[in-house]
Amino acid sequence: MKNSKLLQKRTLLIAIFFCVLSFGQKQDLPESEVEFWDRVQFGGGAGLAIGSEFTSISVSPQAAYSFNQYFAAGVGLNAGYIRERNLFKAQNYGMSLLGLFSPTSVVQISAELNQTYYTYTYEDVLQPDEQFWDTALFLGVGYTNGNVTLGVRYDVLFDRDRSPNGSPLMPFVRVFF
C-alpha cells in the first residue's frame, strides 16, 4: 500500500514535468493573432469488440491545446465495459493528462498519465468481486496522417500481478479535429 502511494506520487510528478515542458515552449504567432479556441482540438478514441462469448466497449474523448506546431497538452476521460459470458463483467472510468510532441509532421511522441477505477463482478460466487484504482503512465510513438495517429504505447508502471491490462504494450488510434 505504501509503495502504491509512492508510485502514484512519482507518476504525478512525471506527468507535471511533461506538462510544464509543453507550457514552456515559445509560440509561433503573437498571442494577439491566435484565439484560444483556434488552438484546441477535440477527439480521442473508441473501441468495440463483440463475439459470441465476449463484449468490449470503450470510449475515450480527449481535448488538447496546441502550443505550437510541435507541442500540445490536454485532458481526457475514459469509460469501458467488458463482459465475458459465464465469467465476469467489468466497468471502468477515469481520466488522463496527455502530452504530445511532434518532431515532424508524421511522427508523434506521447506521454499519458491515466488514472482509472475498475469494478469486476464475477459469475462464480466463490470469487469475490473487485474494485480498485489503477495508475498507468503510457509512453508512445505513432505515425500521423492528417488527423489520425496510429501507434503503440508502453505502460512504464505496468505490474503483471496488479495491472488490469494483459500487457504493458498496447496499440492505439488517436483522432483529433
Side-chain angles (χ1 to χ4, degrees), residues 116-138:
T116 305
Y117 184 72
Y118 291 87
T119 61
Y120 283 83
T121 306
Y122 295 95
E123 299 283 331
D124 182 356
V125 294
L126 298 177
Q127 176 75 32
D129 294 345
E130 296 180 76
Q131 299 177 356
F132 60 93
W133 284 96
D134 181 64
T135 302
L137 177 58
F138 295 105

Side-chain angles (χ1 to χ4, degrees), residues 11-87:
T11 303
L12 183 60
L13 288 174
I14 291 169
I16 290 170
F17 174 75
F18 280 108
C19 288
V20 168
L21 282 179
S22 296
F23 281 109
Q25 299 305 312
K26 189 174 161 185
Q27 295 192 9
D28 296 329
L29 297 173
E31 191 61 38
S32 60
E33 294 180 29
V34 179
E35 294 291 325
F36 174 83
W37 290 108
D38 291 338
R39 292 182 173 266
V40 176
Q41 294 181 299
F42 295 96
L48 176 65
I50 298 176
S52 61
E53 302 289 322
F54 183 81
T55 303
S56 175
I57 304 167
S58 64
V59 294
S60 55
Q62 295 178 325
Y65 180 83
S66 297
F67 296 99
N68 56 38
Q69 68 184 16
Y70 302 108
F71 290 97
V75 296
L77 300 173
N78 61 64
Y81 170 82
I82 298 173
R83 178 171 185 244
E84 188 157 352
R85 187 180 293 178
N86 299 325
L87 288 179

Side-chain angles (χ1 to χ4, degrees), residues 137-154:
L137 177 58
F138 295 105
L139 302 180
V141 62
Y143 169 76
T144 300
N145 187 359
N147 296 335
V148 179
T149 302
L150 302 171
V152 64
R153 61 188 190 169
Y154 183 83

